Amino acid sequence: MLRMIAWRLAGLLATLLAVSVVVFLVMDVLPGDPAAIMLGTSARPDTLAALRLELGLDQPLPLRFAAWIGGALTGDFGTSRTYGVPVAGLILDRLAVTLPLALMAITLSVVLALPLGILAASRRGSFWDVAATGVAQAGVAMPNFWVGLLLILVFASTLGIMPSGGFPGWDAGIGPALAALTLPAVALALPQAAVLTRVTRSAVLDVLHEDFVRTARAKGLTKRAALWRHAVPNALLPVVTVIGLQFTFLIAGAVLVENVFGLPGLGSLAVQALQQRDLIVMQDVVLLLATLVIVVNFLVDLSYLVLDPRLRASA
């Protein structure tokens, strides 16, 4: 098993290197002068020349890539042209909002979806199955930004029990910070929970029709025991895969919800960098998001070894 983990770790590192090359080339080599893109068409020639020198655009391409990736490995992501501060600090500040938000949302999604999906599968055709499937269908159809607006209207404007937006910072205390993230997390979690409920129901139903479950029932195991001892553990592989995909989506795709609630998250930073043509920030944010996606997928692969004894045996 250690050899399989080592191979997958090597694959992770190779993928990270390939992604960093692609991100660098896309941002740095595509047609167009990066300095002119950042400063606009009305920039003075001497200003453009100074920025090209600052960005190292007069250096050969391999040297520029080595300097960029070397800086990223040591935590030096350059300086934002828009904010005039190191990009590393800027990203860390935004991650302190986006990462807890994504973790809260994925936790809530799993807590809601797994019981609903298992209940629906174990009682196929019953009222609970129809109700869970209907709720999941409605959840899939609801955009998370619309859910966010609805939550603000009910819990902030009408009931006044939750903040309507903004983020006080972790320095204000864990309670106020978590309170500010609660409604955005719910808005993100509900559509994800709907998708996960459908996946869980389908996966458990598939396993319930497998021979080993029928054999377990024939040996006298109750329906409930066969469900929890054999069906649910074997149905977790596709569920874990979807959870991994949803977590990476929540990290990179929470832009709309962050804007609805006025949260200074990583998605908002990426949009602001795009609007302000801050290529240095864009390049580093894209690299970070790609790295997070690759690392999460690696962790999902490792979880397969834990969940499936056949993979451990083959390793």
Side-chain angles (χ1 to χ4, degrees), residues 35-49 51-52 277:
I37 293 173
M38 294 173 70
L39 294 177
T41 55
S42 59
R44 295 171 46 186
D46 57 334
T47 307
L48 278 174
L51 182 57
R52 289 194 189 100
R277 294 180 291 189

Side-chain angles (χ1 to χ4, degrees), residues 12-28:
L12 177 145
L13 296 175
T15 306
L16 283 176
L17 178 61
V19 167
S20 65
V21 171
V22 171
V23 171
F24 175 78
L25 292 178
V26 167
M27 293 290 183
D28 211 62

Side-chain angles (χ1 to χ4, degrees), residues 26-313:
V26 167
M27 293 290 183
D28 211 62
V29 177
L30 283 180
D33 184 350
I37 293 173
M38 294 173 70
L39 294 177
T41 55
S42 59
R44 295 171 46 186
D46 57 334
T47 307
L48 278 174
L51 182 57
R52 289 194 189 100
L53 189 63
E54 180 184 338
L55 296 177
L57 297 178
D58 57 330
Q59 299 292 320
L61 185 64
L63 289 181
R64 285 156 48 195
F65 175 74
W68 176 65
I69 199 65
L73 289 173
T74 58
D76 180 10
F77 290 88
T79 301
S80 167
R81 294 289 302 175
T82 303
Y83 301 98
V85 298
V87 177
L90 201 58
I91 289 177
L92 284 177
D93 288 343
R94 301 305 183 98
L95 264 182
V97 178
T98 298
L99 199 55
L101 174 63
L103 287 172
M104 288 175 66
I106 199 67
T107 301
L108 182 59
S109 172
V110 171
V111 168
L112 290 174
L114 290 191
L116 272 179
I118 294 171
L119 177 66
S122 63
R123 302 188 180 185
R124 186 180 186 184
S126 68
F127 165 79
W128 295 106
D129 184 21
V130 174
T133 305
V135 170
Q137 187 66 40
V140 171
M142 290 189 298
N144 49 25
F145 66 87
W146 182 82
V147 176
L149 291 174
L150 191 64
L151 291 172
I152 291 174
L153 181 64
V154 174
F155 293 98
S157 300
T158 304
L159 300 178
I161 58 176
M162 298 296 289
S164 61
F167 185 69
W170 294 103
D171 294 338
I174 294 179
L178 291 180
L181 295 178
T182 298
L183 290 185
V186 173
L188 284 170
L190 290 182
Q192 302 303 318
V195 175
L196 195 58
T197 298
R198 293 166 63 91
V199 172
T200 303
R201 177 184 179 276
S202 176
V204 174
L205 278 177
D206 288 343
V207 177
L208 282 174
H209 292 91
E210 293 287 341
D211 290 340
F212 63 88
V213 176
R214 284 197 288 266
T215 302
R217 291 296 310 280
K219 288 182 177 178
L221 215 60
T222 64
K223 184 177 180 181
R224 180 187 295 271
L227 172 72
W228 289 104
R229 290 186 191 176
H230 299 287
V232 171
N234 284 281
L236 285 180
L237 286 182
V239 175
V240 169
T241 303
V242 173
I243 291 173
L245 293 173
Q246 289 185 331
F247 183 71
T248 55
F249 166 78
L250 292 173
I251 291 284
V255 179
L256 287 176
V257 170
E258 287 179 357
N259 282 326
V260 168
F261 288 93
L263 296 177
L266 199 60
S268 301
L269 176 64
V271 172
Q272 291 164 3
L274 182 64
Q275 292 172 339
Q276 294 158 353
R277 294 180 291 189
D278 195 336
L279 296 185
I280 297 174
V281 174
M282 285 176 57
Q283 196 173 38
D284 293 332
V285 169
V286 171
L287 178 64
L288 176 67
L289 292 177
T291 302
L292 286 173
V293 170
I294 293 169
V295 170
V296 169
N297 286 333
F298 173 72
L299 295 177
V300 169
D301 283 346
L302 291 187
S303 72
Y304 293 162
L305 297 175
V306 177
L307 294 172
D308 194 338
R310 294 168 298 182
L311 289 177
R312 288 200 299 274

